Amino acid sequence: MSTLIRGVIRDGDVIWVCGFSMAVGKEMPFKIEARFVLEGRRLAWEKRLKQVELECDNALLASIFVG
């Protein structure tokens, strides 16, 4: 059984740029969140977005990506 999770990329004016989704199975929540953040970053990179702000309720995961 898999679950579908969704995300959105918005520009600086909070206007929708694109959405994305990912099917996940029985994995640890931290691993799912990390894969999801990486997918969002990959899409932002493909769209050549220069500044990206990550909204994440997992402090450990956010600190890994911030520095």
Side-chain angles (χ1 to χ4, degrees), residues 29 50 56 61:
K50 303 245 186 260
C56 179
L61 183 60

Side-chain angles (χ1 to χ4, degrees), residues 11-30:
D11 68 10
D13 296 321
V14 195
I15 296 173
W16 185 86
V17 174
C18 72
F20 61 101
S21 62
M22 193 169 83
V24 296
K26 294 181 179 180
E27 299 175 85
M28 297 297 293
F30 186 83

